[in-house]
Amino acid sequence: MSNLSPIDTAKFVAAKRAVEFVEDGMRVGLGTGSTAAWMVRCLGERVREEGLRISGVPTSTRTAELARQVGIKVVSLDEARWLDLTIDGADEFDEDLNLIKGGGGALLQEKIVATASDMMIVIADPSKKVDALGGFPLPLEVIPFGWQTTKALIEETLSSMEVLGQTGTLRMNGDAPFITDEGNHIVDLHLQRISNPRQLSLVLNQIPGVVENGLFIDICDKVVIGHQDGKVEVMDINEGTLEEGLVEFAEAENLFADI
Ligand code: 5RP
């Protein structure tokens, strides 16, 4: 019997199913966040136990550290150039498999890595599925120079967009601004509902000082949703399919206790 919490069980189950898509010799993008961390552990287990030979491109220093710890060979994106597959978490996904990402502050590397992949698989628990994106604050990576002016410009731009809320807040880490792996800040936009995510993404990226936004449009191919009872659903946007399965999770916490 597993002592994992229901939410960790759901994340583990999604991760376990998703790493089945990884094949010998693949170059794999490794996402960031608590769900992605389960995926890195599950992938490490396949490397150690099956001798799976893969190269992993991490999307943050946190993920790079964990990947090395579990035995995955870590290479840079410039070394790998192009990836077979990226597996990452998300803060929200809609029925078109468009995403909000960046809750963990790694959206820039995550978007570069996912875009440089033949396939992106998102792993999630059921709470991440939404009818319309925007309930989760949309992260924007902005350069520190003049960030307050940039934020004011962003808010002014939002007043002409189809969104319910229009305010942004600078993400903090204790008393200081949060700093991304690229040395930038994050402004979180409280939009509540985004009617046209594609248009919003294009418009936000036109603003000087905005490096990238957390909307992932037409990037994700599959979402693997894990449930606390071991049920797993795989939604494939290209095939238009929804497959269901079951993942054994009783051993989950023992498997990783020694890492
Ligand atoms: C990090 C991300 C994460 O994938 C997203 O925040 C989901 O994280 P978690 O799996 O911990 O809920 O985009 O920048």
Side-chain angles (χ1 to χ4, degrees), residues 98-239:
N98 291 324
L99 320 170
I100 285 186
K101 284 188 51 56
L107 68 108
L108 180 55
Q109 290 191 17
E110 289 172 337
K111 201 183 255 193
I112 294 171
V113 167
T115 304
S117 305
D118 284 340
M119 182 188 291
M120 181 194 196
I121 299 178
V122 158
I123 45 179
D125 61 80
S127 71
K128 305 291 179 68
K129 188 172 190 308
V130 295
D131 291 335
L133 299 174
F136 189 92
L138 175 66
L140 258 61
E141 181 147 348
V142 302
I143 63 165
F145 176 83
W147 71 264
Q148 299 193 63
T149 304
T150 303
K151 179 172 161 297
L153 261 176
I154 293 165
E155 287 172 342
E156 193 184 309
T157 305
L158 288 175
S159 63
S160 59
M161 304 298 299
E162 292 171 58
V163 290
L164 279 184
Q166 290 158 10
T167 52
T169 48
L170 182 70
R171 191 179 298 183
M172 303 296 286
N173 183 11
D175 291 339
F178 177 88
I179 307 286
T180 69
D181 274 352
E182 305 303 320
N184 296 315
H185 292 336
I186 299 277
V187 172
D188 290 303
L189 302 184
H190 305 273
L191 307 174
Q192 295 168 50
R193 189 185 177 89
I194 303 170
S195 299
N196 191 336
R198 185 183 306 275
Q199 184 192 40
L200 182 65
S201 177
L202 290 172
V203 169
L204 289 173
N205 280 11
Q206 294 300 314
I207 300 172
V210 173
V211 183
E212 192 48 86
N213 72 79
L215 285 165
F216 283 47
I217 310 294
D218 293 340
I219 295 178
C220 174
D221 298 283
K222 295 182 201 286
V223 173
V224 179
I225 309 165
H227 295 261
Q228 61 186 61
D229 60 356
K231 194 179 99 177
V232 70
E233 295 166 287
V234 182
M235 296 171 68
D236 185 315
I237 196 70
N238 306 311
E239 306 288 332

Side-chain angles (χ1 to χ4, degrees), residues 16-30:
K16 185 86 178 161
R17 174 68 183 93
V19 301
E20 288 175 12
F21 290 99
V22 178
E23 293 170 16
D24 201 44
M26 277 190 169
R27 290 160 297 178
V28 184
L30 308 173

